[in-house]
């Protein structure tokens, strides 16, 4: 198999200046600690992803490309104008907590425009033919951002903007595949009544989580109006692991793609399904992410002339998330998989009943 063409990684250092401050994991910092920690969605995770791409084994197969600022009228293609203005004014007033876990800094607005604009830049690279695949290495994530609601660290929905940009540039049917460990409720909301963008979200079964996230991520959320049948949720049980994700591709996403016949693929690429993520409970490891990358490549080769746009979403363990991104890209490029430096003995298919029965039986006799 010949190696695939290089992949363009769009990055804009301005996204690092979105300051989420100190926190107790993702919530307001606690007075019980002398030293609080950086908010989970901080710059370190993206800086280390950039490092591993620039200095790691794929360095000669990756081409870095710039991001750009999104204009407000571009954001208004998927968000309400009043909502955009409210986010801008909130930063001008000094920022603060927008939801219980979602924080805006006083200088966050330009970084948020860079975050969204970098997704647009990646879409433009692919749609112009400059590269077959492009990845927006950006932050904060975007897939929880609904038409008029911030949620889960997200303000503007980069994956939705990329899908919309692909439509405007001539793609007729866009398949959005979201493997962030959380439900892509924002992307679902934005395209819920459309039949030209098929949204699929693989996620842990966390359900609705409050006023900012009323969507459930369940099977019965199938779209509305013309969009009925064009939203597919895959709410996996906790601990679903590599098998849960790869079977989702093979048994759900591949047949959906066969019916929908997309001519463009947009991916919401998270690494928070990893075994070490503070925000996920899905135990995916590097071989799982490698398999995801391989499957995206196969879908792109089959349906979209090898083209795909990937937008960075979650992935919050700064040690492991970069390796999971590396594994994903190795799968995309058909590269040799890098050994997992944090590999662990996989979960057993647990025989707890058998174990406890064995422990009990001497006493019961
Ligand atoms: Zn997530």
């Amino acid at each position: 198999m010949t190696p695939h063409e290089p992949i363009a990684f769009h990055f804009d250092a301005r996204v690092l200046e979105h300051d989420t401050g100190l926190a107790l994991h993702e919530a307001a910092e606690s007075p019980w600690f002398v030293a609080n920690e950086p908010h989970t969605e901080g710059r370190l995770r993206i800086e280390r992803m950039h490092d591993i791409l620039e200095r790691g084994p794929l360095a000669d197969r990756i081409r870095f490309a710039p991001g750009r600022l999104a204009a407000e009228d571009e954001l208004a293609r998927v968000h309400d104008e009043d909502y955009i203005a409210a986010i801008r004014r909130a930063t001008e007033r000094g920022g603060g907590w927008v939801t219980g876990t979602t924080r805006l800094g006083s200088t966050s607005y330009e970084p948020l425009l860079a975050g969204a604009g970098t997704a647009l830049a990646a879409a433009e690279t692919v749609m112009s033919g400059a590269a077959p695949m492009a990845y927006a290495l950006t932050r904060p994530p975007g897939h929880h951002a609904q038409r008029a609601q911030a949620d889960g660290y997200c303000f503007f929905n980069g994956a939705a903007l990329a899908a919309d940009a692909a439509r405007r540039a001539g793609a007729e049917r866009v398949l959005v595949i979201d493997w962030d460990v959380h439900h892509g409720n924002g992307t679902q909301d934005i395209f819920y009544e459309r039949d030209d963008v098929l949204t699929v979200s693989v996620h842990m079964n966390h359900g609705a989580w409050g006023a900012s996230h009323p969507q459930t991520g369940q099977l019965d959320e199938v779209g509305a109006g013309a969009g009925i049948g064009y939203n597919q949720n895959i709410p996996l049980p906790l601990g679903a692991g590599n098998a849960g994700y790869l079977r989702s591709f093979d048994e759900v996403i591949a047949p959906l793609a066969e019916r929908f016949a997309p001519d463009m693929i947009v991916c919401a690429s998270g690494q928070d399904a990893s075994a070490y993520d503070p925000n996920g409970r899905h135990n995916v490891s590097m071989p799982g992410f490698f398999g995801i990358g391989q499957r995206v490549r196969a879908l792109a080769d089959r349906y979209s002339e090898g083209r795909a746009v990937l937008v960075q979403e979650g992935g919050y363990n700064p040690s492991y998330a970069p390796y999971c991104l590396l594994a994903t890209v190795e799968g995309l490029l058909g590269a040799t998989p890098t050994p997992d430096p944090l590999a662990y003995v996989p979960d057993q298919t647990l025989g707890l009943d058998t174990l406890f029965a064995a422990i009990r039986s001497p006493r019961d006799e």
Side-chain angles (χ1 to χ4, degrees), residues 143-144 180-182 272 314 316:
H143 74 147
H144 296 309
D180 182 286
V181 78
H182 304 100
D272 46 5
Y316 301 104

Side-chain angles (χ1 to χ4, degrees), residues 196-233:
D196 57 335
V197 179
L198 170 58
T199 45
V200 184
S201 176
V202 187
H203 48 265
M204 65 176 180
N205 191 4
H206 55 66
W209 64 42
S212 70
H213 191 122
Q215 300 84 8
T216 67
Q218 297 300 308
L219 299 177
D220 59 353
E221 292 177 346
V222 297
I228 289 177
Y230 294 89
N231 186 75
Q232 179 67 56
N233 288 319

Side-chain angles (χ1 to χ4, degrees), residues 113-159:
L113 297 180
T118 299
L120 286 168
E124 287 154 4
T125 287
V126 173
M127 295 307 293
S128 70
M133 285 199 179
Y135 195 110
L137 183 62
T138 191
R139 70 178 281 268
H143 74 147
H144 296 309
Q146 299 142 63
R147 185 161 283 282
Q149 176 65 54
D151 176 47
Y153 320 155
C154 305
F155 299 92
F156 301 128
N157 194 320

Side-chain angles (χ1 to χ4, degrees), residues 241-251 287-293 295:
N242 295 348
Y245 279 71
L246 300 183
R247 287 184 60 184
S248 294
F249 273 83
D250 296 341
E251 298 179 32
F289 286 101
F290 183 86
I292 290 172
R295 283 158 175 77

